Amino acid sequence: MSKMAPPEELMNVNYATPAEAWMDVKPEFKLGNYSYPGKPDVLKYLGLPNPREWNPTEEDWKLPPDWRDIIRDGFRELLGKYRSLKIFMDCCVRCGACADKCHFYIGSGDPKNMPVLRAELLRSIYRGEFTVAAKILGKLSGSRKLEEDVIKEWFMYFYQCTQCRRCSLYCPYGIDTAEITFLARDLMNRIGVNINWILEPAANCNRTGNHLGIQPHAFKDMMEFLVDDIETITGRRVEPSFQRKGAEILFITPSGDIFAEPGIYTFMGYLLLFDYLDLDVTWSTYASEGGNFGSFMNDKWMKKLNAKMYHEAKRLGVKYIIGGECGHMWRVLNQYMDTMNGPADFLEVPKSPITGTVFNNAKSTKMIHLVEFTADLIKNGKLNLDKSRNAGITATWHDSCNTSRGMGFFEEPRYVLENVVEKFVDMPAQTIREQTYCCGGGAGLNNGEFTEMRLRGGLPRGNALKYVQEKFGVNTMSCICAIDRATLPGLADYWAPGVTVTGLHELVGNALVFDGEEPRTMNLRQEDLPGIEGSEEEE
Amino acid sequence: MAGLMTALLAVVALAAVAALGAGAGMSEVFGIAVPYVAVAIFVAGFIKKVVGWASTPQPFSIATTGGQQYSLPWVKQAKFDNPSTPGQTFIRMALEVLCFRSLFRNTKLDNRVAEGRVAYGSDKSLWLFALMFHYCFLVVFIRHFRFFLEPVPMIITGVEFVDSILQIGVPTLYLTDVFLVVGVTFLLARRLWDPKLSYISLANDYFPLFLILAIALSGIYMRYVAKVDVIAIKQLAIGLVSFKPYIPPNIDWSFYMHFFLVCVLWAYFPFSKLMHLGGVFLSPTRNLPNNTRMERYINPWNDPSIKPHTYEEYEDDFREKMIEAGLPVDKEA
């Protein structure tokens, strides 16, 4: 990747519109603004059409000879299957309310990142190919014919959308760009136009159970490392179980949590909490991925990958499932899972064995969010928490796009956070809760080659963070999403250096006081606790 | 700009056709044939479009949640921004349709590079003028029923009374006439002045605005300037709705122009973005409750043949490694 310009420079975005009409502006692929294409062997494994070596910067994309027919037929098929698509194609009045709501537009100034224009990329083909009235007027009415340049434009801009749905909140007709991007990606997959950072993780999820391709024995090894670390920190030996039949609860979290910082600290938080409660819970290496990379591809793969959760829950005979901290995972679990792979009639309505609370809000899917579970524990006084273990932290809360606009998960995590840290302050109102800004890495865009564009897209979030950092001394941003935990550290380093990113259960793990425990001297990162002997370099 | 000019010229041409045509003895065409055809196109086109949407399945329940979900009993739910029951969803829809809830959220980006700060100002202008425009249009529409109904129902005379409450001039000025023009002018002006908007605007965005503006202005001209023969126009209108069409003499050319432009609007409606009138009711991100963990939402084309890569296949793939690592297996090697 090319060296990034300093933040002051990147922030100086040119919002002027080009002199040419948008249909006459061709996409320009350069390192930093696109993701590498799917590798042929990955496409072959997934059974996707047109596996080949190709490069977006080259003229010839090696599309199949009948690609126009494939796209047209596919478009027609999707129009017949998705009312949402039909409505969203027909109803936009181009009022522009969405225009400046997109983080990629705010950070790049590229008008094709205005959600309205992103949708017009598809809508123009809809008009040109499927409607009579617009065909006659041609370009004037915003309609055009399918050309290779259109596909190139789709590839550029439907992979510069993180499906965060912020625009959809402001649209007077609820037009949802996430839906449009999802279906446009489905179409592109039919002619072999896709990105490797989605396909390879999806292939890994299918075979090894998690997107990193960690095989079962290695997964267990990684867990052992974390268990050892927990012992070093707390003196306790926690004993997680795998694939244990008859356990009460199956726990599934994004695999990123076991693999890399800072997710591993959150993972240790989960383990500590379960140990504290002596919870009858088991892990599965087969269903070791909460995230759903299929949801960045098409409805078929979304369903296929998600189906593992119920499949495993049924095989193990658990009563219900708890899901860990993840964003799009929870959009899929909340809005798609039961429809695709339900009914989960072999499970029971989740009931906390500690508090007796029955989670009626998940009475059909039988899958609850760990944060709901923890919030309920705290509310019922079941956790002994010592906030001073997180002393020195002034925290803010990053609402993840998917749990915000595809669920509405705001108070539960804040309640937990407020109970484990001494100081908490929210970022400005227009950048949090349902108006939250994306980290820039959602929907498969957290790959290395896309860093420049992702950091541009991170401007609104980064700037809001910098604001509370300067004004209130915020030094920690907590979140409940694995992609956030992977993306936000880089975003913070660039836009608000000095802010640490944590998962919520890392902070819970820190604060949790066990009966008769050895006094802790370190947090889960093995940093000395403030005020503890020998901690000279306290921040 | 090409879109803008095309739309403007189209509206001018349509207005001229009617004004000249009616003057040239074609009043039957513009007073009888065109309105019947236009209304038929509107009704058939509108129904076809809505049936086309309604008959297409909505596979997933994808509400865009705009507030706190239904959760634990002690967590306060934002019932109308994140509804979990049909009743709450109905209220969310009512707020959307009647009060333009989502537009009310609108903000304006303000990237203050010098201060190093990205800010978001409240921007309710679009909400305000859009609301003004739509409600004035509705009142004007309702007022026009006095031409089609005899006797005129109380409700319509009531609306007229309130609308002319300021008692300015003779005939008294309808407030909605003024605010309709103000609203539509604002919607047009922002497309011209905001570079983002003019960049995305198409002929199909300008055309309805010019058309509605022309309808409003011709109506205002008829009432306040030409002071057309209202009795004669009512005879024509009642003739149309009672299917006994009749063209009274001495109807001013301006009426035919006004009436023809209205007919164009009817006929154009089902093929245009104006169908947002119907679409807003069917938008799946707004009209579905966020209760999908509580009640199973059914997708009629859900494909049962899509199965996961099963645990058995997984174990077959990794059995030896699993056994070696001490992980439980269903079948021994």
Side-chain angles (χ1 to χ4, degrees):
Chain A
M1 203 202 77
S2 55
K3 205 173 174 309
M4 288 295 294
E8 308 79 58
E9 207 173 295
L10 208 70
M11 190 187 168
N12 194 3
V13 179
N14 177 14
Y15 297 107
T17 47
E20 310 96 318
W22 66 263
M23 280 190 203
D24 301 328
V25 181
K26 287 187 183 178
E28 211 182 308
F29 292 93
K30 32 181 203 205
L31 208 56
N33 75 0
Y34 71 94
S35 306
Y36 296 148
K39 290 178 186 156
D41 53 333
V42 176
L43 267 74
K44 277 181 205 152
Y45 174 79
L46 293 168
L48 293 175
N50 201 18
R52 72 209 180 283
E53 294 284 353
W54 64 287
N55 184 342
T57 60
E58 283 166 15
E59 187 57 30
D60 182 9
W61 282 23
K62 303 176 193 165
L63 302 181
D66 57 342
W67 70 268
R68 274 192 187 80
D69 295 328
I70 297 173
I71 294 285
R72 254 183 232 126
D73 294 348
F75 207 151
R76 196 170 293 119
E77 181 198 321
L78 293 178
L79 284 166
K81 286 167 94 173
Y82 284 84
R83 179 189 301 160
S84 50
L85 180 62
K86 254 190 184 157
I87 301 252
F88 298 163
M89 289 295 104
D90 282 328
C91 286
C92 178
V93 301
R94 286 164 295 281
C95 72
C98 60
D100 58 1
K101 307 303 181 283
C102 173
H103 53 285
F104 281 123
Y105 173 73
I106 294 171
S108 73
D110 184 339
K112 284 177 191 167
N113 273 322
M114 297 194 281
V116 49
L117 213 42
R118 199 188 307 281
E120 288 288 309
L121 303 180
L122 202 60
R123 213 175 269 125
S124 56
I125 299 303
Y126 170 73
R127 291 196 204 97
E129 301 283 344
F130 300 105
T131 67
V132 189
K135 258 188 211 172
I136 305 163
L137 283 162
K139 257 191 183 181
L140 281 177
S141 66
S143 67
R144 58 178 174 171
K145 286 281 162 197
L146 261 180
E147 300 298 342
E148 276 203 42
D149 279 341
V150 171
I151 299 297
K152 291 180 179 176
E153 212 174 32
W154 285 6
F155 180 73
M156 174 78 103
Y157 294 103
F158 291 122
Y159 287 103
Q160 278 186 12
C161 168
T162 47
Q163 308 187 343
C164 80
R165 309 180 97 204
R166 192 169 191 270
C167 49
S168 158
L169 181 74
Y170 297 89
C171 175
Y173 316 113
I175 294 172
D176 180 8
T177 306
E179 189 83 344
I180 291 170
T181 293
F182 175 76
L183 295 170
R185 289 180 178 188
D186 178 335
L187 288 177
M188 286 187 280
N189 265 315
R190 296 170 191 231
I191 55 171
V193 175
N194 35 37
I195 69 174
N196 200 60
W197 210 84
I198 291 173
L199 299 191
E200 196 166 315
N204 285 339
C205 288
N206 193 57
R207 179 169 173 242
T208 65
N210 57 72
H211 85 272
L212 296 156
I214 306 165
Q215 299 192 0
H217 55 294
F219 196 92
K220 190 174 175 234
D221 280 351
M222 294 166 109
M223 183 90 93
E224 292 293 329
F225 282 126
L226 300 182
V227 168
D228 289 345
D229 279 354
I230 289 175
E231 193 170 12
T232 307
I233 297 158
T234 67
R236 297 183 69 87
R237 187 80 193 168
V238 301
E239 284 167 358
S241 69
F242 289 96
Q243 273 108 290
R244 182 163 54 85
K245 289 189 180 171
E248 183 181 0
I249 300 161
L250 170 65
F251 182 71
I252 302 175
T253 195
S255 64
D257 285 349
I258 200 172
F259 175 72
E261 294 180 23
I264 52 170
Y265 308 121
T266 303
F267 199 98
M268 288 155 72
Y270 301 153
L271 289 172
L272 274 171
L273 179 70
F274 298 160
D275 184 58
Y276 181 94
L277 301 170
D278 203 11
L279 203 63
D280 186 10
V281 61
T282 193
W283 301 71
S284 166
T285 58
Y286 162 74
S288 51
E289 179 60 71
N292 189 320
F293 284 77
S295 71
F296 310 144
M297 290 167 63
N298 55 37
D299 52 51
K300 180 192 160 190
W301 275 97
M302 172 165 55
K303 174 172 173 163
K304 192 171 164 64
L305 295 182
N306 172 260
K308 285 186 159 192
M309 295 191 183
Y310 281 154
H311 180 71
E312 184 68 339
K314 194 172 186 176
R315 187 183 74 88
L316 296 176
V318 299
K319 286 186 181 158
Y320 62 95
I321 313 174
I322 298 182
E325 299 181 12
C326 184
H328 77 273
M329 157 182 169
W330 272 99
R331 170 124 201 263
V332 174
L333 299 180
N334 183 38
Q335 298 194 325
Y336 295 87
M337 175 159 76
D338 207 8
T339 300
M340 297 186 298
N341 292 312
D345 42 18
F346 48 90
L347 296 175
E348 293 173 18
V349 177
K351 180 179 170 184
S352 171
I354 316 297
T355 65
T357 300
V358 177
F359 290 87
N360 275 315
N361 60 337
K363 67 181 179 208
S364 184
T365 58
K366 281 102 172 178
M367 183 156 186
I368 56 170
H369 199 298
L370 181 60
V371 172
E372 295 173 309
F373 184 77
T374 303
D376 173 63
L377 291 169
I378 297 174
K379 187 76 184 175
N380 285 287
K382 300 293 181 190
L383 299 184
N384 186 3
L385 298 165
D386 179 2
K387 288 183 182 182
S388 73
R389 298 256 192 90
N390 286 314
I393 287 179
T394 301
T396 194
W397 181 252
H398 168 73
D399 291 287
S400 306
C401 314
N402 281 283
T403 51
S404 297
R405 289 179 286 264
M407 198 166 173
F409 204 59
F410 304 121
E411 295 303 335
E412 302 91 331
R414 278 181 178 74
Y415 179 76
V416 174
L417 184 61
E418 282 170 323
N419 275 285
V420 294
V421 297
E422 290 171 337
K423 282 183 250 167
F424 161 65
V425 55
D426 256 324
M427 287 177 279
Q430 280 155 342
T431 68
I432 56 166
R433 296 184 184 256
E434 65 275 4
Q435 303 188 73
T436 191
Y437 274 108
C438 186
C439 62
L445 304 185
N446 194 22
N447 55 68
E449 64 270 20
F450 193 68
T451 301
E452 182 181 333
M453 193 62 197
R454 184 170 57 252
L455 284 176
R456 284 182 188 278
L459 167 63
R461 170 45 74 232
N463 195 263
L465 180 59
K466 184 166 151 248
Y467 176 76
V468 289
Q469 182 189 25
E470 288 171 356
K471 190 160 180 188
F472 303 107
V474 163
N475 56 16
T476 302
M477 176 156 58
S478 192
C479 61
I480 38 165
C481 170
I483 290 179
D484 283 331
R485 284 191 285 276
T487 304
L488 291 174
L491 176 144
D493 284 348
Y494 184 79
W495 290 111
V499 177
T500 306
V501 175
T502 73
L504 188 55
H505 276 83
E506 175 186 343
L507 300 173
V508 173
N510 278 337
L512 209 51
V513 181
F514 285 79
D515 280 343
E517 67 173 16
E518 296 171 16
R520 283 201 218 171
T521 57
M522 300 181 265
N523 63 19
L524 293 179
R525 299 185 182 214
Q526 305 199 23
E527 297 159 345
D528 288 337
L529 290 179
I532 296 290
E533 247 177 282
S535 81
E536 310 282 285
E537 69 252 295
E538 183 183 321
E539 279 177 83
Chain B
M1 275 303 111
L4 172 83
M5 290 314 291
T6 310
L8 180 60
L9 290 175
V11 172
V12 169
L14 288 166
V17 164
L20 299 173
M26 291 168 74
S27 46
E28 264 97 9
V29 175
F30 291 101
I32 299 169
V34 169
Y36 278 133
V37 172
V39 171
I41 293 175
F42 173 77
V43 172
F46 196 96
I47 291 172
K48 184 166 181 270
K49 197 91 201 172
V50 172
V51 167
W53 291 332
S55 62
T56 307
Q58 174 53 35
F60 302 105
S61 178
I62 54 164
T64 302
T65 55
Q68 173 62 42
Q69 69 171 353
Y70 170 81
S71 177
L72 295 157
W74 47 272
V75 176
K76 192 172 181 291
Q77 179 193 2
K79 288 186 178 138
F80 309 135
D81 283 324
N82 190 348
S84 57
T85 67
Q88 292 164 3
T89 311
F90 180 84
I91 295 177
R92 182 184 204 189
M93 284 301 294
L95 288 170
E96 193 64 84
V97 173
L98 300 175
C99 308
F100 301 0
R101 169 71 180 105
S102 294
L103 267 191
F104 189 72
R105 294 180 184 271
N106 199 24
T107 58
K108 192 175 164 52
L109 169 70
D110 183 10
N111 185 350
R112 303 174 193 160
V113 180
E115 295 170 40
R117 172 123 208 256
V118 184
Y120 313 93
S122 167
D123 183 7
K124 307 249 185 278
S125 62
L126 177 59
W127 171 79
L128 182 70
F129 285 95
L131 211 57
M132 180 194 286
F133 165 71
H134 282 85
Y135 272 101
C136 288
F137 207 145
L138 179 66
V139 170
V140 170
F141 178 75
I142 291 169
R143 276 205 274 103
H144 276 68
F145 277 88
R146 75 181 165 115
F147 293 107
F148 298 95
L149 300 170
E150 188 57 52
V152 179
M154 279 287 285
I155 176 90
I156 293 169
T157 47
V159 168
E160 281 181 346
F161 173 76
V162 176
D163 201 358
S164 54
I165 197 107
L166 291 187
Q167 298 284 328
I168 302 166
V170 181
T172 52
L173 180 74
Y174 288 132
L175 296 174
T176 47
D177 284 356
V178 177
F179 287 113
L180 175 61
V181 172
V182 170
V184 87
T185 305
F186 173 84
L187 294 180
L188 195 54
R190 64 190 286 278
R191 280 199 190 275
L192 300 173
W193 281 328
D194 184 337
K196 289 198 302 295
L197 276 169
S198 57
Y199 198 63
I200 59 173
S201 294
L202 305 168
N204 7 347
D205 297 314
Y206 292 113
F207 180 72
L209 288 172
F210 282 127
L211 186 61
I212 291 165
L213 188 60
I215 289 169
L217 292 176
S218 58
I220 287 168
Y221 171 84
M222 284 161 66
R223 178 173 166 88
Y224 304 104
V225 182
K227 298 190 168 124
V228 293
D229 183 347
V230 177
I231 308 294
I233 289 171
K234 181 152 185 172
Q235 283 179 311
L236 184 145
I238 290 199
L240 282 173
V241 292
S242 58
F243 293 99
K244 290 173 199 146
Y246 162 66
I247 300 284
N250 306 324
I251 292 186
D252 193 65
W253 61 272
S254 60
F255 165 75
Y256 290 105
M257 183 169 87
H258 180 72
F259 197 36
F260 179 65
L261 293 174
V262 172
C263 291
V264 171
L265 185 64
W266 284 117
Y268 174 74
F269 202 102
F271 310 101
S272 72
K273 68 171 193 174
L274 303 177
M275 281 305 290
H276 67 264
L277 168 68
V280 66
F281 291 94
L282 287 171
S283 182
T285 62
R286 294 290 185 274
N287 73 3
L288 291 166
N290 176 34
N291 64 352
T292 31
R293 281 198 291 157
M294 287 184 274
E295 281 175 43
R296 184 165 182 239
Y297 182 85
I298 302 296
N299 171 11
W301 52 261
N302 190 32
D303 182 356
S305 73
I306 297 172
K307 301 278 188 211
H309 177 76
T310 62
Y311 174 78
E312 292 70 28
E313 291 168 290
Y314 171 83
E315 193 183 293
D316 288 345
D317 203 351
F318 297 112
R319 184 169 295 110
E320 279 173 32
K321 290 170 178 169
M322 290 171 77
I323 293 171
E324 207 173 309
L327 289 165
V329 287
D330 280 354
K331 276 191 266 176
E332 293 300 327

